[in-house]
Amino acid sequence: MKKILITIFLISYQLVLSQRNDILDRKNVFTLEVFGHSDSFLAVNYERLFLSGNEKLIYSFRTGVGRKPGYDFHGEYFKGVTTVPFVFSVLYGKKHFAQLGLGYSALFSQNFVYSSSEVYKEFESDFSISIGYRFMTKDGIVAQAYPVFILKDNPVTKSMLSFGVSLGYSF
């Protein structure tokens, strides 16, 4: 009888521990982002979370691929822009987080002049900074919103202010 009780206790203990679902245990995040650091219409990102000694402080690094679609401009077709963002962030909070992000994005396109106010180069480098809000649940839901200031390597547009929104899942 003692062995049966010990076995039931060990199995129950293991089941309880395996059901633990803490935000800090979820270190991988996939997100869909609209605008944001990538300076594209839609981006798919992977992010890795790194814990610090302080339980309210989390560091993260994310990368992904973004796309700004092409269009036809008076019979001349523009192929669009593909972006590869790299963002380092610092998060502070437990479920609701304040976040600061510093980013670099490589933009790949073609040499194309849309108008006197919009010029695309074959390769551009963007640097960005954002301060915003992130919400993460124990179930893995991740949502964030933030304004982002982008310094551009473009002959016409030197800087811009954008707003990023993303929704994702952590595991």
Side-chain angles (χ1 to χ4, degrees), residues 112-152:
F112 186 80
V113 178
Y114 175 69
S115 67
S116 61
S117 63
E118 209 170 334
V119 174
Y120 295 96
K121 294 175 15 180
E122 200 169 340
F123 176 79
E124 289 185 32
S125 295
D126 288 358
F127 294 92
S128 55
I129 186 168
S130 67
I131 298 175
Y133 168 77
R134 181 184 294 208
F135 174 73
M136 294 194 311
T137 68
K138 291 180 181 181
D139 297 327
I141 303 299
V142 177
Q144 57 186 340
Y146 52 89
V148 60
F149 178 71
I150 302 172
L151 294 171
K152 301 184 75 52

Side-chain angles (χ1 to χ4, degrees), residues 3 26 51 72 78 97 105 115 124 147:
K3 286 184 181 181
R26 298 172 168 271
L51 305 178
D72 191 353
F78 173 62
F97 294 89
S105 293
S115 67
E124 289 185 32

Side-chain angles (χ1 to χ4, degrees), residues 49-135:
L49 302 176
F50 301 95
L51 305 178
S52 69
N54 183 341
E55 68 179 34
K56 288 187 173 186
L57 190 63
I58 300 173
Y59 301 104
S60 80
F61 179 76
R62 80 173 182 252
T63 187
V65 175
R67 185 77 180 143
K68 188 184 289 186
Y71 50 86
D72 191 353
F73 181 69
H74 300 297
E76 227 181 308
Y77 184 71
F78 173 62
K79 294 179 185 175
V81 180
T82 300
T83 63
V84 180
F86 301 94
V87 181
F88 173 76
S89 297
V90 177
L91 305 153
Y92 185 79
K94 284 199 171 194
K95 184 176 180 180
H96 303 276
F97 294 89
Q99 75 177 14
L100 170 67
L102 300 171
Y104 167 81
S105 293
L107 287 78
F108 303 94
S109 184
Q110 70 186 70
N111 291 323
F112 186 80
V113 178
Y114 175 69
S115 67
S116 61
S117 63
E118 209 170 334
V119 174
Y120 295 96
K121 294 175 15 180
E122 200 169 340
F123 176 79
E124 289 185 32
S125 295
D126 288 358
F127 294 92
S128 55
I129 186 168
S130 67
I131 298 175
Y133 168 77
R134 181 184 294 208
F135 174 73

